[in-house]
Amino acid sequence: MVPKVDEVTSGELVARARQNDQVAWDALVERYTGLLRSIARSYDLGAADMADVTQTVWLRLVERLDELREPDRVGSWLAVTAHRESRWTLRRRGRELPAWSVPDQAPDPAGGCVERTCVQRERLSDVASAIRAMPERCRRVLRFFALAPVTYAEAASALDIPVGSVGPTRARCLADLRRRLGESL
């Protein structure tokens, strides 16, 4: 009985991809594209840059597939490569840090600001200001987890921190955000 593609390990998919197995390639792309896109999004890249980063990472894998020493860790390799490509894209665009933006407050059509909308916008502004004031590492961690469901192993690879540090780092960043928001109220 042939195992389903989703039951095959990443290392086995890499081995099959090395043999030009299109099903294996498709499975790798399906398995990891969401992770790559979430890493690029964590750098606050636009849709075009995010697509470019994702495509470039897949190209890098094609170029280096036979050089992978630990095929079972292809997900980590892809995450680190996406991390580097995203940083390179920011530098190429002349941006050092991802920018948090808050939509402009516009009045409602009736000429005033609907109270609920105003409260929501003020709260969003408070959150954005608190996040902007945080260290860059926390901004990236919070953005990364907010954008897509990921495992701690994927997060560790993408954020370039040890797996055992992901949970405590996330908890510290969330506590810092709560503290900052408490101070702004």
Side-chain angles (χ1 to χ4, degrees), residues 58-124:
W58 286 117
L59 176 62
R60 299 282 181 261
L61 181 62
V62 168
E63 294 170 341
R64 293 174 177 85
L65 187 65
D66 292 330
E67 300 169 17
L68 290 180
R69 286 183 239 148
E70 298 181 59
D72 280 326
R73 295 185 38 87
V74 68
S76 296
W77 186 93
L78 288 165
V80 168
T81 305
H83 175 74
R84 289 178 181 154
E85 287 295 328
S86 296
R87 287 176 48 192
W88 184 85
T89 299
L90 284 179
R91 282 194 300 271
R92 191 180 78 221
R93 296 280 188 250
R95 291 175 45 206
E96 288 301 316
L97 298 173
W100 283 84
S101 61
V102 178
D104 293 333
Q105 286 194 359
D108 73 349
C113 191
V114 176
E115 181 156 345
R116 184 178 65 187
T117 302
C118 287
V119 169
Q120 289 171 340
R121 287 184 177 159
E122 286 176 23
R123 186 65 176 160
L124 177 59

Side-chain angles (χ1 to χ4, degrees), residues 2-104:
V2 177
K4 294 180 185 176
V5 173
D6 59 338
E7 296 173 352
V8 177
T9 68
S10 294
E12 292 173 58
L13 291 175
V14 168
R16 288 173 45 189
R18 286 176 173 164
Q19 302 301 314
N20 296 318
D21 181 339
Q22 187 60 48
V23 173
W25 272 111
D26 293 345
L28 284 168
V29 169
E30 183 177 331
R31 188 173 288 182
Y32 292 108
T33 293
L35 172 66
L36 302 180
R37 292 177 62 79
S38 69
I39 291 168
R41 266 183 289 189
S42 77
Y43 281 88
D44 202 24
L45 296 177
D49 285 335
M50 187 172 58
D52 286 348
V53 165
T54 303
Q55 184 176 12
T56 301
V57 171
W58 286 117
L59 176 62
R60 299 282 181 261
L61 181 62
V62 168
E63 294 170 341
R64 293 174 177 85
L65 187 65
D66 292 330
E67 300 169 17
L68 290 180
R69 286 183 239 148
E70 298 181 59
D72 280 326
R73 295 185 38 87
V74 68
S76 296
W77 186 93
L78 288 165
V80 168
T81 305
H83 175 74
R84 289 178 181 154
E85 287 295 328
S86 296
R87 287 176 48 192
W88 184 85
T89 299
L90 284 179
R91 282 194 300 271
R92 191 180 78 221
R93 296 280 188 250
R95 291 175 45 206
E96 288 301 316
L97 298 173
W100 283 84
S101 61
V102 178
D104 293 333

